[in-house]
Each structure stands twice: as C-alpha cells, then as structure tokens.
Amino acid sequence: MLEHAPGDGAGHPKLAPLLADSGETTAAIESFQLAARGQIEQGFDDRAIGVYVQAVGYFPEQFGLWEAIAELHLKAGRGADALRAFLDAREELRTPADRPVAMLCLSRALELEAGSSLDKKSPRLAHTLDLAALCGKEGQRERADQLLEDLANVEPGALRQVRWAQFKLSPTPRHLWRWLFPRSDDE
C-alpha cells in the first residue's frame, strides 16, 4: 500500500498497527503520521489525537508523537490535556534508555505549567524535582543544579524537598546542612 498510494490516508489507520506488530518501526510511524494527517485535513483533530495515542501505545519512546498529541490539544484550547499528554509520556518512559525523551517531556510540561504555584504539594514542584533527578542521572549536573536553585524561594515545607534533592544530587556537608536547616536565604 505504501508503494502504490503512500499519501492515501484512508488505509493507514488499519495498516499502521499491522506494520507496528510486524516490527517495521519506521514504516509504522510514517503510516500513523499519514493517518493522523488525513484526519486533520478532514477537520477531525480529535480523531487524529486518537491515532497518535494508538501510535504511542506502540512507540512510547517517540517524542514527536507525544508532542503531536499535545500540540493538537493546545490547538483546541485544552492546555490541561496537552500537559497530561507530556506527563503520561513521562509515566511511560521509566528506563535509563528513555531518560532523554522523558526529560524533553518534563521540560515541555514545565513550560505549560509556568506560572502555577510552587508549594509543597504542587505538581510543578514534583515535576521540577523529577526533571532535576533525571538530569543528574544523565550527567547534566549543571542543569540539575540550576533547576534546583531556581526553586530556592519556595515555601519552607517545599524548600526542604528541594534541599533533599540537592543533597541526593551532590552529597556534600554543605548540602546536608542546607537540608537539615533549610532557609531560602542560605548561602
């Protein structure tokens, strides 16, 4: 089908899962994208989201698929659903090989959460701490440190979580002291 009518979107919703099941990753992803594009061209953005959701079921490590879901939600004015797409991606991406994509998804989620509160039970705080931990595991210490330092002006209960994350990233006497006696003005 791809050889005879590669742009024909009608058959791709059925073909893409077959290609994915047979291990033809590149062709399957291309087919999912053509199927979604066909739905978008017909004005069915929610159906396109459904196609992409099916695609990430097969290929959760493909950031572009998650991003397409989020972009379609944003286009429809559903910011919370776009955020949920990136957070769902993070939940799927738990292996060390998945860290770079998980970091991209968390970064995009934090962009969508910009301006939300940063208290002890804040999802934004938890997502920032998660991203900092992933950065540390990926050898991006400076980025992790910066993310955590940017949280230094949170409420005292949340600051304790930040200081603990700093200590785990770099277990020095200074970070231990800052965790034991957290203050936003400590240096």
Side-chain angles (χ1 to χ4, degrees):
M1 178 175 169
L2 285 174
E3 295 170 4
H4 299 292
D8 177 22
H12 286 285
K14 294 178 183 170
L15 178 62
L18 295 174
L19 290 169
D21 287 336
S22 67
E24 297 183 43
T25 303
T26 305
I29 291 171
E30 182 180 330
S31 187
F32 276 120
Q33 289 172 332
L34 287 170
R37 210 171 297 129
Q39 295 297 330
I40 293 167
E41 288 171 0
Q42 293 177 19
F44 299 120
D45 288 0
D46 286 338
R47 287 185 185 174
I49 291 171
V51 171
Y52 283 123
V53 167
Q54 185 180 20
V56 297
Y58 287 100
F59 309 107
E61 72 287 349
Q62 294 292 320
F63 175 73
L65 298 174
W66 293 106
E67 187 173 42
I69 293 168
E71 293 300 326
L72 286 168
H73 281 304
L74 287 172
K75 179 181 167 187
R78 298 187 301 251
D81 290 333
L83 173 63
R84 182 81 257 148
F86 286 122
L87 296 177
D88 287 347
R90 170 60 182 123
E91 286 303 311
E92 287 288 323
L93 303 167
R94 292 289 175 185
T95 68
D98 294 334
R99 281 186 201 138
V101 176
M103 290 166 55
L104 280 172
C105 290
L106 280 172
S107 295
R108 288 297 307 276
L110 288 171
E111 288 173 17
L112 294 173
E113 287 181 311
S116 63
S117 69
L118 270 172
D119 56 27
K120 188 175 183 178
K121 296 182 180 183
S122 163
R124 183 172 154 219
L125 175 67
H127 302 148
T128 305
L129 292 173
D130 188 16
L131 179 56
L134 289 175
C135 289
K137 290 175 183 175
E138 280 295 297
Q140 298 179 15
R141 288 287 271 261
E142 288 181 22
R143 183 176 180 204
D145 286 336
Q146 187 60 53
L147 285 165
L148 295 172
E149 280 304 319
D150 289 347
L151 296 175
N153 292 321
V154 295
E155 70 173 20
L159 183 60
R160 192 162 179 82
Q161 290 177 314
V162 172
R163 298 301 187 219
W164 175 247
Q166 287 175 315
F167 177 71
K168 287 189 334 188
L169 183 66
S170 178
T172 63
R174 176 178 181 258
H175 284 128
L176 176 62
W177 182 263
R178 291 175 86 191
W179 172 64
L180 291 171
F181 304 102
R183 293 187 337 222
S184 61
D185 60 350
D186 60 356
E187 281 303 318

